[in-house]
Amino acid sequence: MRTGRIIKALSGFYYIKVDEEVYQTRARGIFRKSGMNSPLVGDIVDFESDNLTEGTLTTIHERKNALKRPQVANVDQMLITMSLKSPDFSFYLTDRFIAYSESFDIEPVLIITKKDLNTDEALIEKIKETYKMYKIFFTSKEHFDEDLREVFTDKLSVLAGQTGVGKSTLLNTLLPKLGLETGEVSKALGRGKHTTRHVELVEKNGGLVADTPGFSTIEFTHIEKEALKYCFIDFDMPSESCKFRGCNHINEPKCGVKSAVESEDINRTRYESYLQIYEEIENYKERY
């Protein structure tokens, strides 16, 4: 019995890396017959194999998390890619991706592209202040932040972000051998064309990154509305002064989070994003 990580899944085969070797395997029929979770790229698994091409995947180890799009398990960090221009930066969309990342216990890392197209320095300062609790990198075609390469070390990373912000371009810069097709931004729609492919984990600076442009749309059907507040980590400390245990920071009196918003210790755009997502989750539950 061997143990390794699935780095690629394609046409019913699972490619498992152990040290420097990659084994081609198929999953045991029990995964299909019993309704068990199918193996995902990123899974740590046990398998049996006498050679590199005829192995059998037998066991999936417990996962830290599992995303549906892209289908990757045990993700350590999400590289949330947003642009300053074309399309314009959106605090609300950024907050959505951050909350989504936090809901899976994945560390958010913000990558802000197209800095060369922005002339509003106040916007950059507002972004830095709003998201000072996270790592933030600013890039452009002319200037790539070399420090960004170091965030991969000992991490499994995926990309996420609004369509057309340059996720494929960013991946091509980080992983030049990929040659991902980049979608041009539609001037009429203000968003880009989707470019997709199967998921494969590629080694980068001592870590692994999913070689896919990631995803641009998300839903919060997987969490309860009462859990959303834990996905806004800047609420944690102010919430300690809430009068009521279990305060959701909506209509409750003597709420520490609402007080922090009024005193500008919490950015109001963050709180407004929270309210919108909370209402969205509430509507999900009413509908289903």
Side-chain angles (χ1 to χ4, degrees):
M1 189 73 66
R2 301 171 186 268
T3 301
R5 186 193 291 272
I6 299 176
I7 61 167
K8 180 169 68 171
L10 186 63
S11 303
F13 289 100
Y14 299 94
Y15 297 84
I16 303 170
K17 186 163 187 179
V18 181
D19 298 325
E20 298 304 313
E21 300 283 1
V22 177
Y23 294 81
Q24 178 180 282
T25 69
R26 284 192 180 276
R28 287 178 61 189
I30 188 172
F31 290 106
R32 295 188 299 274
K33 294 175 183 176
S34 67
M36 295 171 61
N37 287 335
S38 297
L40 294 176
V41 169
D43 271 331
I44 304 299
V45 296
D46 296 331
F47 67 101
E48 299 169 348
S49 180
D50 294 326
N51 57 65
L52 294 176
T53 59
E54 298 177 336
T56 302
L57 191 161
T58 59
T59 308
I60 302 173
H61 290 212
E62 184 178 356
R63 294 166 175 160
K64 181 170 75 172
N65 52 51
L67 298 178
K68 290 184 177 179
R69 288 199 318 168
Q71 291 191 320
V72 184
N74 299 312
V75 178
D76 296 307
Q77 64 184 5
M78 188 176 292
L79 308 182
I80 299 170
T81 312
M82 304 294 290
S83 62
L84 289 169
K85 282 283 188 181
S86 187
D88 290 344
F89 184 84
S90 167
F91 286 93
Y92 174 60
L93 287 178
T94 303
D95 290 335
R96 284 184 68 86
F97 282 112
I98 289 175
Y100 186 77
S101 182
E102 293 280 9
S103 72
F104 285 100
D105 192 27
I106 297 172
E107 179 185 1
V109 176
L110 299 185
I111 302 174
I112 315 300
T113 65
K114 306 183 184 180
K115 188 178 180 182
D116 52 316
L117 300 182
N118 177 67
T119 57
D120 185 358
E121 288 298 323
L123 173 61
I124 292 177
E125 291 306 312
K126 184 178 180 182
I127 292 171
K128 289 179 179 178
E129 175 61 26
T130 302
Y131 303 109
K132 59 188 176 184
M133 68 290 274
Y134 296 114
K135 296 176 185 173
I136 307 178
F137 299 89
F138 290 87
T139 69
S140 68
K141 284 186 178 180
E142 289 74 22
H143 175 73
F144 181 83
D145 190 335
E146 292 298 326
D147 290 340
L148 181 56
R149 300 183 191 276
E150 304 308 314
V151 303
F152 294 101
T153 306
D154 299 324
K155 305 279 189 180
L156 194 166
S157 307
V158 298
L159 261 72
Q162 190 177 6
T163 305
V165 299
K167 296 189 295 294
S168 295
T169 301
L170 176 65
L171 265 183
N172 283 336
T173 302
L174 293 167
L175 306 168
K177 294 181 181 179
L178 291 183
L180 289 178
E181 177 188 354
T182 56
E184 294 181 357
V185 174
S186 165
K187 292 183 180 179
L189 297 177
R191 61 177 189 265
K193 301 173 183 177
H194 289 280
T195 56
T196 58
R197 53 185 284 131
H198 72 274
V199 181
E200 181 174 352
L201 299 181
V202 179
E203 292 186 355
K204 178 67 182 177
N205 286 29
L208 295 168
V209 57
D211 70 333
T212 163
F215 52 97
S216 58
T217 57
I218 53 176
E219 293 184 336
F220 289 89
T221 52
H222 61 290
I223 65 171
E224 298 296 327
K225 61 185 180 181
E226 292 81 9
L228 179 64
K229 58 193 173 189
Y230 302 116
C231 302
F232 285 71
I233 63 172
D234 39 339
F235 291 10
D236 291 352
M237 191 173 295
S239 67
E240 293 177 4
S241 61
C242 291
K243 179 179 180 180
F244 297 101
R245 180 179 294 182
C247 179
N248 287 315
H249 322 311
I250 308 289
N251 299 314
E252 300 90 340
K254 298 184 178 179
C255 169
V257 169
K258 289 192 288 184
S259 295
V261 173
E262 292 303 317
S263 64
E264 299 185 350
D265 290 325
I266 291 177
N267 192 293
R268 186 170 293 278
T269 61
R270 290 276 291 163
Y271 181 67
E272 290 172 351
S273 295
Y274 168 76
L275 293 179
Q276 288 189 57
I277 299 170
Y278 186 95
E279 183 179 1
E280 177 182 323
I281 297 173
E282 201 169 40
N283 290 336
Y284 285 149
K285 305 308 175 185
E286 289 177 359
R287 197 180 312 149
Y288 299 107

